[in-house]
Each structure stands twice: as structure tokens, then as C-alpha cells.
Amino acid sequence: SADLWSFACLVLFMLTGKRPFEDLESDRSVLYNVTGLKRDPYIPGCLEGRLRAILNGCFSRDPMARPTAQDLLDDPFFANVPVPCSE
């Protein structure tokens, strides 16, 4: 579940060019204490619909509430993403 939280951070960074929790960068505890965060990461309004729902799910503070990797692979949002290698 930590990997899915990190995945959401990476996706958000790739889409916006800004790191989630950039203002907390000096506080390394954000890396180790997700549940202790006082707020959710900012997701711009231009990211809507299913993508927004996926990011919100991955950013859930409750690890059991986050989607699994298989959940994401099965999500229709990712249905048309080409698989570069099937080895």
C-alpha cells in the first residue's frame, strides 16, 4: 500500500511538475508518517473524473482503503495503456 501512495505522488509530480507536500520537504517525517499528515496533497482542479478518484484512493491515509496494484491494473482508466514488455 505504501507503493501505491508513492505511485500517486509520482503521477501527480509528472502531471503538475510539483512534488506533493513540497512545502514539507524539509520535514523528512512526511516520508515515514503518512498517517500523521494534517492535510491531503493538493490535486489541481484540472485533474478530474476517474484520475482524481484514483489519486484520492491512493492518497488514503488508511492503507487498507487504498487500491491494490491489481485494482489499478483492472481499472478501465488504464485499459488503453500499452504494455511495453510482457516478459
Side-chain angles (χ1 to χ4, degrees):
S1 65
D3 290 341
L4 276 292
W5 193 85
S6 298
F7 167 77
C9 287
L10 179 63
V11 169
L12 200 54
F13 177 69
M14 289 171 53
L15 293 172
T16 65
K18 296 181 181 179
R19 292 178 299 232
F21 308 107
E22 194 168 52
D23 56 321
L24 300 177
E25 182 77 14
S26 62
D27 183 5
R28 294 285 180 188
S29 65
V30 74
L31 299 174
Y32 304 104
N33 190 12
V34 174
T35 58
L37 295 173
K38 303 284 191 249
R39 62 178 171 77
D40 293 329
Y42 172 71
I43 300 174
C46 61
L47 303 178
E48 349 177 278
R50 190 66 199 131
L51 177 58
R52 184 178 207 79
I54 289 168
L55 290 174
N56 281 327
C58 290
F59 281 128
S60 174
R61 289 188 183 118
D62 176 6
M64 299 308 292
R66 292 180 200 145
T68 64
Q70 190 62 54
D71 292 337
L72 293 182
L73 290 171
D74 294 340
D75 193 290
F77 182 82
F78 295 104
N80 295 321
V81 175
V83 177
C85 182
S86 59
E87 291 181 31

